[in-house]
Amino acid sequence: MSIKELAQHLNVSIGTVSRALNGRADVNPETRKRVLAAAEAMGYVANQSGRSLRQGTTNVIGFTIETNVETKSQGDTFFMSVFDGVQAVFARHKLDLVVLPCSSEDDPFDHVRRVVSRQFADGLIISATQRIDPRIDFLIERGIPFVTLGRSQSGGEHSWIDMDFDSVATGAVARLVARGHRRIALANTASGINLSYIFEDSYRRALAEHGIAYDPDIVIRGEITERGGYAICDKLLALPDRPTAVVLVNESLAIGIYRRLHDAGLMPGRDMAIIGLRQSPQARFLSPTLTCHRLSLHDVGVELAQSLLATMPAYKDLYPQGVVQKIWPMELVPGESDPPLQP
Amino acid sequence: MSIKELAQHLNVSIGTVSRALNGRADVNPETRKRVLAAAEAMGYVANQSGRSLRQGTTNVIGFTIETNVETKSQGDTFFMSVFDGVQAVFARHKLDLVVLPCSSEDDPFDHVRRVVSRQFADGLIISATQRIDPRIDFLIERGIPFVTLGRSQSGGEHSWIDMDFDSVATGAVARLVARGHRRIALANTASGINLSYIFEDSYRRALAEHGIAYDPDIVIRGEITERGGYAICDKLLALPDRPTAVVLVNESLAIGIYRRLHDAGLMPGRDMAIIGLRQSPQARFLSPTLTCHRLSLHDVGVELAQSLLATMPAYKDLYPQGVVQKIWPMELVPGESDPPLQP
DNA sequence: CACCGCACCGTAAACGTTTGCGGTGCAACG
DNA sequence: CGTTGCACCGCAAACGTTTACGGTGCGGTG
């Protein structure tokens, strides 16, 4: 079912059919109606390869994720919610979202290079940014429109959306200090993801502001999974001078930490104050409830999509915001896991 | 950087370049080496649109998922593991996996139709199969190679992989009966997903085998989320003749059920026996530990990929298994959540 | 009546590949 | 030396679009 068949069925030239379908001006309204009707009836839809060969554009946006659940995971419904927001925007422009998973055996840089050379997409959304991320320099050099979900120190000016981990870390420390805590641990991720640096820097700055000395012994890095949380809590409990509170870089850790405390006959909150990151469905159902932070991932997705379009020449007029670098606010949701310290 | 530039840089015809790169026989080993070296050096890689326009093939496999987290979908971690297995197979054949998320505002059938008409992929993996699933008939009619993750009653013969929910349901009932339970509830999903029918049928059959009457009051359907679990448990606790055990169609429910029991001053296991479905990271860290079922999602992904290739003409010789319809075993992992009933 | 402008449409080139076909040159064979 | 076979390579068509360009016919204007 090619445009040629459709054309000779209608007794017009293929040029006219193409113009009619693409909404060009110089075509008789009457014939346009005929063409549209016939296309609908015969189920014609333009071949994507032919079209993109001619126009050099695919109408596809790629979203890279990493399938390494152990170290990079963001929680169980994180990406699904973001995708939903992204699609809400793209649907209005007849753009299709495709997710390009980078397998755990593959290198993220190689992955992006392959994606680019295969010309899958007109634009890319990159997640899990590293502190030094060669993908960013590469994409800038190649002139591929892209946005990252997460900041980086790499490369030149580019659009990114990130969450306000700075405020979360400093706010959590301040809140714990106000509640009498002085020995505040940090549970961080061991991966090179930029978030881990931002989070730890802010944590250290907040400690300094409250006149608390930084103690590397209570900054533990590990897998940001339930199992990782268990292991991290294990190490904290083994310390001679046990911390009274811990700030988490990821809410999945909370599950494991709760479990480890229970196994030691201790009670989360009372025996160790805990502040988690994002209000995930699981964290919401912990007992005692986890103090964490509200965040609309759907809206993050919307913002990602709009920022990407703003960098694409074809959509510049519709989204004139230019380069956007936005830190998304996270609002603290008080729970029962960080009560005032009992002397 | 087209094949033409590469060719005139090498002083050969584009045909020769193409043949050299594609490993055809009738090309001088010496020139092939030159071509490969030059392609590598100049960073040439064949334009996908041109190639697929000519050959009618994209070397891409699509995997549809639904981002409607509330009702249908498994979470991120479920699919990430599956993707990883799928890619392990595809990588050997230079096939690329792209994930095609169906937004929560979109209809899954329309989504698949758009995917097909856009000619994104040479083959498809379809998840979240409905009991009656028009996508299956559509794909068969169009002759698109595909596999489904999940059975269905629709359409003709096609390949599918599914998990052994039958054995899980009957095994769970049998185990609970052996431990003294007679009043066994079922927490099911309210969506039209085929799994819910299979699960409930098996549950009813198992009850009958043990001479227990089916009671619709203790079969509760709702969202398969933590919140859904809370609501379902709410209903169970409100019943005049409270069940002593509950079988779950999804392990996320367990989190909410545990929470609801705690809120009522009850203890999971002791006051209500619980058997979950899959051994997820969250479920593993519940306390008391959840009795559930082990399952290698990576292997499911591998099987999905192989079964799909078996239906594609180009790979038939490598994967000669034909139509495969496989029920994947799930092995019970005993936990503390279903102890013998105390009289 | 001659001319112009305009609305509409057909023609054909171009996008980057792959591949069947034919052609060249060389070695081997009779 | 003539013929054949073979290894290798160039030529050009084809895939399905989009789009610049030119052409036709018509109504309107001078």
Side-chain angles (χ1 to χ4, degrees), chain A residues 37-238:
Chain A
E40 173 72 28
M42 305 179 66
Y44 168 79
V45 19
N47 177 290
Q48 186 58 37
S49 305
R51 161 175 285 181
S52 39
L53 181 57
R54 170 65 215 229
Q55 322 197 105
T57 183
T58 65
N59 290 330
V60 165
I61 304 295
F63 193 134
T64 68
I65 61 172
E66 296 177 25
T67 56
N68 192 337
V69 180
E70 312 291 301
T71 62
K72 300 273 175 60
S73 161
Q74 296 275 6
D76 208 32
T77 57
F78 183 91
F79 281 113
M80 300 274 179
S81 305
V82 176
F83 295 158
D84 221 47
V86 170
Q87 280 187 310
V89 176
F90 286 167
R92 296 201 288 268
H93 301 286
K94 296 191 182 297
L95 286 169
D96 279 305
L97 174 71
V98 311
V99 178
L100 306 163
C102 173
S103 114
S104 57
E105 292 159 20
D106 203 0
D107 177 61
F109 184 35
D110 289 341
H111 182 246
V112 149
R113 281 203 298 200
R114 198 169 53 248
V115 163
V116 168
S117 67
R118 287 276 249 127
Q119 288 149 288
F120 262 132
D122 294 340
L124 289 178
I125 301 174
I126 305 286
S127 67
T129 46
Q130 304 288 111
R131 169 161 257 209
I132 305 293
D133 202 321
R135 299 178 295 178
I136 293 174
D137 305 280
F138 176 75
L139 291 172
I140 290 176
E141 185 209 323
R142 289 297 195 94
I144 314 275
F146 74 102
V147 197
T148 62
L149 175 52
R151 281 162 277 181
S152 169
Q153 291 187 348
S154 279
E157 195 90 332
H158 71 278
S159 288
W160 50 258
I161 312 294
D162 204 353
M163 288 152 266
D164 194 359
F165 300 119
D166 321 72
S167 299
V168 167
T170 56
V173 169
R175 180 175 162 96
L176 289 168
V177 168
R179 299 190 159 213
H181 295 274
R182 303 284 298 172
R183 191 150 171 80
I184 301 168
L186 175 64
N188 207 345
T189 163
S191 77
I193 199 169
N194 196 28
L195 152 62
S196 66
Y197 296 96
I198 295 172
F199 208 70
E200 189 161 332
D201 286 350
S202 302
Y203 160 85
R204 291 183 69 158
R205 196 165 357 97
L207 286 184
E209 277 170 16
H210 293 94
I212 302 175
Y214 169 77
D215 178 1
D217 285 347
I218 57 174
V219 173
I220 319 268
R221 298 174 191 86
E223 282 183 9
I224 48 175
T225 60
E226 290 79 359
R227 188 173 53 189
Y230 195 92
I232 287 172
C233 190
D234 221 28
K235 292 187 185 163
L236 291 179
L237 292 182

Side-chain angles (χ1 to χ4, degrees), chain A residues 176 181-186 218 236 242-247 271-275 341:
Chain A
L176 289 168
H181 295 274
R182 303 284 298 172
R183 191 150 171 80
I184 301 168
L186 175 64
I218 57 174
L236 291 179
R242 218 183 258 180
T244 63
V246 58
V247 180
D271 295 313
M272 185 174 302
I274 304 169
I275 296 187
L341 183 63

Side-chain angles (χ1 to χ4, degrees), chain B residues 66-248:
Chain B
E66 296 177 25
T67 55
N68 191 338
V69 180
E70 311 289 302
T71 62
K72 301 262 184 67
S73 184
Q74 306 279 359
D76 289 3
T77 52
F78 178 92
F79 283 114
M80 302 249 183
S81 304
V82 177
F83 295 159
D84 222 44
V86 170
Q87 281 186 311
V89 176
F90 287 166
R92 296 201 288 268
H93 301 286
K94 295 193 182 300
L95 287 169
D96 279 305
L97 175 71
V98 312
V99 178
L100 306 162
C102 172
S103 112
S104 57
E105 293 160 19
D106 203 359
D107 177 62
F109 184 35
D110 289 342
H111 182 246
V112 150
R113 281 202 298 198
R114 197 168 54 246
V115 163
V116 168
S117 67
R118 288 275 250 127
Q119 288 149 285
F120 262 132
D122 294 341
L124 289 177
I125 302 174
I126 304 287
S127 67
T129 46
Q130 305 287 112
R131 169 161 255 208
I132 304 294
D133 202 319
R135 298 178 296 179
I136 293 174
D137 305 280
F138 176 75
L139 291 171
I140 291 177
E141 185 208 325
R142 289 296 196 96
I144 314 276
F146 74 102
V147 197
T148 61
L149 175 52
R151 281 161 278 180
S152 168
Q153 290 187 349
S154 279
E157 196 90 333
H158 71 277
S159 287
W160 49 259
I161 313 294
D162 204 355
M163 288 153 265
D164 195 359
F165 300 119
D166 321 73
S167 300
V168 166
T170 56
V173 168
R175 180 175 162 94
L176 289 168
V177 168
R179 299 189 159 213
H181 296 274
R182 303 283 298 171
R183 192 152 171 77
I184 302 168
L186 175 64
N188 207 345
T189 163
S191 77
I193 198 170
N194 196 28
L195 152 62
S196 66
Y197 296 95
I198 295 172
F199 208 69
E200 189 161 331
D201 287 349
S202 301
Y203 160 84
R204 291 182 69 158
R205 196 166 355 100
L207 286 185
E209 276 170 17
H210 292 94
I212 301 175
Y214 170 76
D215 178 1
D217 286 347
I218 57 174
V219 173
I220 319 267
R221 299 176 190 86
E223 283 183 7
I224 48 174
T225 60
E226 290 79 359
R227 189 174 51 187
Y230 195 91
I232 288 172
C233 190
D234 221 28
K235 292 186 186 165
L236 291 178
L237 292 182
L239 289 174
D241 187 10
R242 221 182 254 179
T244 63
V246 58
V247 179
L248 313 183

Side-chain angles (χ1 to χ4, degrees), chain B residues 168 275-279 291-295 330-333:
Chain B
V168 166
I275 296 187
L277 192 69
R278 190 174 63 87
Q279 188 186 36
T291 295
C292 50
H293 302 80
R294 202 192 320 270
L295 169 70
M330 298 182 74
E331 179 197 353
L332 188 125
V333 183

